[in-house]
Amino acid sequence: MTPPPARRHRPGAKGAAPAHTLPRRGAIRRAQAITTYGIGSLVAVEHESFVVSGLDEADRSWSPDESPRIYERRLARLLGVDYFRLPPASDDTSKDGLRVRRFPLMHSCPECNELQHHRDFNPPAGRSVCGTCEVDLVPSRFVVACEAGHLGEFPYRQWIHRSTDRGSTTVGNCGGKLSLRTSGRTSSLRSIIVSCNCGQAQDASMEGSFRRNALKDLGLKCRGHRPWLGTSAPDQECGLPLRTLQRGSSSVWQPVLKSALSIPPWSNSRADPLAEHWDALRQYDNRGHIEIYLKGAFKGECPVPLDEVMALLDAEREEDPDGEATPTFDHRYRALRNKEYERLRSGNDESKHSRDEQFICETPQGDPSVLAPLGVTGPMLVKKLREVRALKAFTRLVDADSMTDSKEMPLSASPLRWLPAMEVRGEGVFLRLDEDRLGTWEKATEVASRVERMRTAHQRVLEQRADDPSRAVPSPATPRMVLLHTLAHVLINEWSLEAGYPAASLRERLYATDDMAGLLIYTATSDSAGSLGGLVAQGEPELLDRMVRSAVRRAEWCSSDPLCMETVVSGSGGTNLAACHACVMLPETSCEHNNILLDRALLVGTPDDPRLGFFTDIVTG
C-alpha cells in the first residue's frame, strides 16, 4: 500500500515533472482488499494508521499487469459495470499498490502528551515522529462516523469544552493547546484524560463519549467527511447523528459483497471480448443488425461466432425478472440465484466440454435413493466451479445485509465502469431437501410459530436501523430458510472435523425461496484447500448419508445445554434461538447471513417437542 503523492514536488531535471516516489507502507493479501481492508476502511501499519483511498485514480495507478481484468457477465450486469479488476499485487517486486491516506490526522505524543494535527508535530519527511521528542506518534484511538458512511475526526476540542456555554463561539478558536494522557489507574475510558491550557475548561475524561447521543447532546452532526476520497471530493451535506467508535472497531467498515457463480454459457471465457458491448447488443433483436454492429465494433471479424452471441443474448434475457417492469436490485439478484439453482440441478457433464470449462457439475455414481429416509435428494458433485466476489460498496455502524441501497457508500466520487473483485476456483457439493416432506414440515403450527419469533425480532432490528421503518427490507426468515441455513452450518462443521477442512475454507450458498430448497457448500479459498477433490468425495450418497446423520446427531447436544436449547432470545437482537459458538456458528467468512437466523431445534427438535425437528427420525431412530 502506498499513500498518495504530496501536493508539492520538487521539479525534475530541466523542469520536467518528477516521477512519483511513494513510500511503501506494509502489505495485505489481495483477498483482504475486498473483505477486510477495502476502499474506505482503516488499516493499521505498525504505529501508523491509514484509510484506503477511493478508486477515482485507480485507472492510472493500478498497473494492468498487476491488476488484471476479471469478466463475469451475470454479476457485472447485476452491478451495472462492464468488468472487474483484481486488486493490485503487494509484494516486493510490485510497481505500485493500493493508495492510502493518513487518517485519523489527530495524533498524540506519548512523551510530551500533546494532542494535535499530525503536521503540527513537524515530523521529518516520511516519518511519523514528534519533531521535538523524536518518539513515534500515536494516531487517535477514536473516530466518529454516521450511518450514511461518512467518517471524521473525534471532536476533542468540543468534548473538553462541553461544560461551557453552548452558545459560545470561542470553543473552536480558544487558542489553547490540547493534551492527552492516561492516569494509569485503570484501562477504562475514565483513565484517558484530555486537557486544554486555554483556562476555560477543566480536564475531561473520555468516559461517556460512546453513548449513542453523546455527540448529539453537544449539537454536533455529521458534516459529510469522506477522507478516503481526498480533497478532490467536497464534503456532502449530511446532518445525521454521529457515533464515537474505536479506530479498530469492525463497525467502522463493513463490506457490501456480491458474488455469482460462472455457469454455462458464460463459464468458458469465450464471451470475454464482448464485455463492453452487451448493453449495445441488447438493443437489437434482429440477427442482421447484431452482425453489422459486431463487424463495426471489432473492425472486421468478431472473435465470438454469431451463433454463440445470439445464444448468449438469449441466456441473458432468460435471467430478466418475470413480471417486473422496473425490477429492483433484489429482484435481479434473485433471478441470478434462480438460474444458478437450475444449473446446479441439471448439471454440466465434464465429458461434453473442453478444458476451458469453469463449471463441471455431475451426478454421483452411487444410488441417491439411500438419502430418501433423510428427506435429502438431488445430490450433485460440483467438481469445478468459479466464483467472482465483487466489492460493491461499504457501510458503517450497521451490517451490510440489513441495509437499503441508499445507505451504501460508493467506492469513488464519480461512477466507474468496473469494481474490484476476487475470483475463487474450487469445488463443492450441492443437495436439496425433498419438497413434499419439507412442505408438510414447514406448515406445522409449532414450526411456523417458532420461526415467526425469529422473523419478528429480525424485522424489528431492520426497522430500527432504517431511516424510514416503512422502507426497511423484509426479513428473509422462513422455516425452510432457517432449516437450510442451520443444516449448512452443521455440515460445514462436520466436514471440518471428518474431512480435515478448516471451517474458514468452506462456504455456504443458500437457495431458499418458495420454489427453491437447496444448498451448496464449496471451498471458499484459492489456496491448497481449494480443489483437491476431498470435498467432492463427500457428496457420494453413501458417504453423504453418513455425514448428514453424524452432523444431525452432533447438533443434538451442545456444551452450553440446556441453556442453549431452551433459550428464548439468542444472537444480536434475538435473531437466533438454539444457536451459539459451541454448536452451529461458523467463522464470519463462511456464512452468508452473519451468523443470524439459526436454530438447531429445527433440525433435531427440543426435549419438550421433538416434532419441531425436520430430522427427528435420525435422532429417535
Side-chain angles (χ1 to χ4, degrees):
M1 297 180 297
T2 53
R7 295 183 182 178
R8 296 182 180 178
H9 299 281
R10 296 179 180 177
K14 297 182 180 180
H20 293 318
T21 55
L22 304 178
R24 185 178 297 276
R25 293 287 191 269
I28 61 173
R29 298 191 302 273
R30 270 178 164 161
Q32 289 179 310
I34 301 295
T35 58
T36 309
Y37 300 123
I39 308 302
S41 66
L42 296 183
V43 52
V45 181
E46 296 179 350
H47 60 275
E48 298 180 86
S49 176
F50 302 94
V51 61
V52 181
S53 298
L55 296 178
D56 294 285
E57 298 181 0
D59 280 327
R60 178 177 57 83
S61 63
W62 287 20
S63 168
D65 295 333
E66 298 177 356
S67 179
R69 292 186 178 186
I70 301 175
Y71 296 98
E72 172 48 54
R73 171 57 188 168
R74 299 170 63 247
L75 185 61
R77 180 191 176 200
L78 174 73
L79 299 179
V81 297
D82 293 332
Y83 57 91
F84 305 95
R85 293 186 67 179
L86 278 173
S90 186
D91 52 33
D92 293 338
T93 60
S94 299
K95 299 177 181 178
D96 209 326
L98 291 176
R99 298 292 178 91
V100 296
R101 303 175 187 274
R102 189 179 300 279
F103 187 86
L105 297 176
M106 292 295 290
H107 284 61
S108 62
C109 174
E111 189 72 23
C112 62
N113 295 329
E114 287 192 5
L115 174 65
Q116 57 189 356
H117 196 285
H118 183 270
R119 64 170 177 264
D120 294 334
F121 284 99
N122 295 319
R127 300 181 62 191
S128 181
V129 299
C130 178
T132 303
C133 307
E134 297 186 353
V135 297
D136 291 335
L137 295 174
V138 179
S140 170
R141 285 175 51 187
F142 311 104
V143 296
V144 295
C146 76
E147 291 189 357
H150 300 115
L151 184 69
E153 305 274 355
F154 181 82
Y156 288 102
R157 196 170 294 275
Q158 288 86 343
W159 179 254
I160 191 176
H161 290 86
R162 68 187 185 278
S163 60
T164 60
D165 183 11
R166 288 191 180 182
S168 173
T169 59
T170 62
V171 173
N173 55 4
C174 65
K177 289 188 176 183
L178 299 179
S179 62
L180 183 145
R181 69 183 191 278
T182 58
S183 65
R185 296 176 181 176
T186 66
S187 57
S188 66
L189 293 174
R190 182 180 299 180
S191 296
I192 302 176
I193 309 299
V194 183
S195 306
C196 181
N197 64 1
C198 67
Q200 300 178 15
Q202 298 178 350
D203 294 355
S205 74
M206 292 296 295
E207 186 177 25
S209 60
F210 282 77
R211 288 189 299 108
R212 179 175 291 272
N213 294 325
L215 301 181
K216 181 180 179 180
D217 294 342
L218 298 180
L220 298 177
K221 295 183 178 180
C222 179
R223 299 175 61 183
H225 294 311
R226 297 179 292 174
W228 62 95
L229 299 180
T231 58
S232 60
D235 295 340
Q236 297 176 326
E237 291 295 330
C238 182
L240 290 178
L242 288 169
R243 290 282 303 277
T244 304
L245 297 171
Q246 291 266 19
R247 175 164 46 89
S249 169
S250 60
S251 297
V252 171
W253 188 83
Q254 289 282 341
V256 179
L257 297 172
K258 298 299 178 182
S259 66
L261 301 181
S262 295
I263 60 174
W266 308 94
S267 53
N268 56 13
S269 301
R270 290 176 59 86
D272 291 355
L274 301 173
E276 300 180 13
H277 302 282
W278 288 115
D279 291 340
L281 288 171
R282 279 185 64 103
Q283 304 301 316
Y284 302 104
D285 293 326
N286 184 279
R287 180 185 178 95
H289 292 166
I290 292 177
E291 184 176 13
I292 293 173
Y293 173 85
L294 292 175
K295 288 183 178 179
F298 291 95
K299 296 179 175 58
E301 190 69 22
C302 177
V304 183
L306 182 59
D307 289 340
E308 289 191 25
V309 175
M310 301 301 296
L312 290 169
L313 283 171
D314 291 339
E316 182 168 291
R317 293 189 178 101
E318 288 180 4
E319 291 197 24
D320 292 339
D322 295 331
E324 299 290 340
T326 56
T328 64
F329 182 87
D330 290 338
H331 288 136
R332 289 184 283 123
Y333 195 48
R334 194 177 304 123
L336 180 145
R337 287 294 187 100
N338 289 343
K339 187 58 65 174
E340 290 180 1
Y341 183 73
E342 292 177 10
R343 178 54 67 174
L344 287 166
R345 289 189 62 176
S346 59
N348 194 39
D349 199 320
E350 183 176 14
S351 61
K352 300 178 181 179
H353 300 279
S354 66
R355 295 181 59 183
D356 295 332
E357 178 61 42
Q358 298 169 338
F359 180 83
I360 301 297
C361 180
E362 300 177 348
T363 56
Q365 296 180 354
D367 182 8
S369 63
V370 300
L371 299 170
L374 303 179
V376 175
T377 185
M380 299 294 286
L381 309 182
V382 187
K383 296 183 177 180
K384 194 175 181 181
L385 65 80
R386 172 182 179 261
E387 181 196 24
V388 176
R389 301 176 196 158
L391 178 62
K392 175 177 180 280
F394 64 87
T395 65
R396 304 196 195 277
L397 295 177
V398 291
D399 295 335
D401 286 345
S402 66
M403 299 292 297
T404 57
D405 289 347
S406 60
K407 287 188 177 181
E408 294 178 357
M409 182 60 69
L411 307 181
S412 59
S414 57
L416 296 177
R417 298 304 301 167
W418 60 275
L419 288 172
M422 285 292 298
E423 60 180 352
V424 175
R425 301 175 188 270
E427 60 190 21
V429 174
F430 173 75
L431 59 89
R432 294 180 288 124
L433 297 182
D434 181 79
E435 285 285 355
D436 294 335
R437 178 170 170 177
L438 180 62
T440 302
W441 171 83
E442 64 186 353
K443 292 177 183 177
T445 303
E446 57 272 14
V447 172
S449 61
R450 187 174 178 92
V451 175
E452 179 61 23
R453 288 159 52 191
M454 302 171 63
R455 192 205 66 79
T456 302
H458 189 217
Q459 191 64 44
R460 182 169 57 249
V461 171
L462 297 177
E463 292 175 356
Q464 289 173 350
R465 292 173 173 174
D467 289 337
D468 182 0
S470 63
R471 294 181 56 205
V473 295
S475 170
T478 62
R480 70 170 59 195
M481 181 270 168
V482 179
L483 173 64
L484 285 165
H485 191 199
T486 311
L487 176 61
H489 278 228
V490 299
L491 280 175
I492 288 176
N493 280 328
E494 186 68 21
W495 282 332
S496 176
L497 294 171
E498 298 295 333
Y501 281 91
S505 71
L506 301 178
R507 186 175 172 87
E508 67 181 6
R509 196 167 181 88
L510 305 179
Y511 302 90
T513 61
D514 293 339
D515 54 352
M516 295 192 297
L519 61 91
L520 171 67
I521 298 177
Y522 61 103
T523 50
T525 62
S526 54
D527 60 10
S528 58
S531 55
L532 299 178
L535 182 58
V536 167
Q538 306 299 317
E540 289 294 337
E542 295 79 6
L543 187 55
L544 183 59
D545 174 72
R546 189 165 74 247
M547 289 295 102
V548 172
R549 292 179 183 274
S550 177
V552 170
R553 290 194 180 100
R554 200 184 300 275
E556 184 183 10
W557 182 84
C558 172
S559 59
S560 297
D561 280 340
L563 295 178
C564 179
M565 180 60 76
E566 296 178 359
T567 184
V568 295
V569 176
S570 178
S572 175
T575 51
N576 285 337
L577 286 179
C580 68
H581 286 285
C583 51
V584 301
M585 287 190 176
L586 292 175
E588 293 291 345
T589 55
S590 300
C591 179
E592 280 194 314
H593 295 282
N594 296 322
N595 273 330
I596 65 171
L597 305 180
L598 295 165
D599 182 15
R600 61 189 173 91
L602 298 186
L603 297 178
V604 299
T606 65
D608 296 334
D609 193 355
R611 296 173 300 173
L612 280 172
F614 184 83
F615 297 101
T616 298
D617 294 343
I618 297 178
V619 178
T620 58

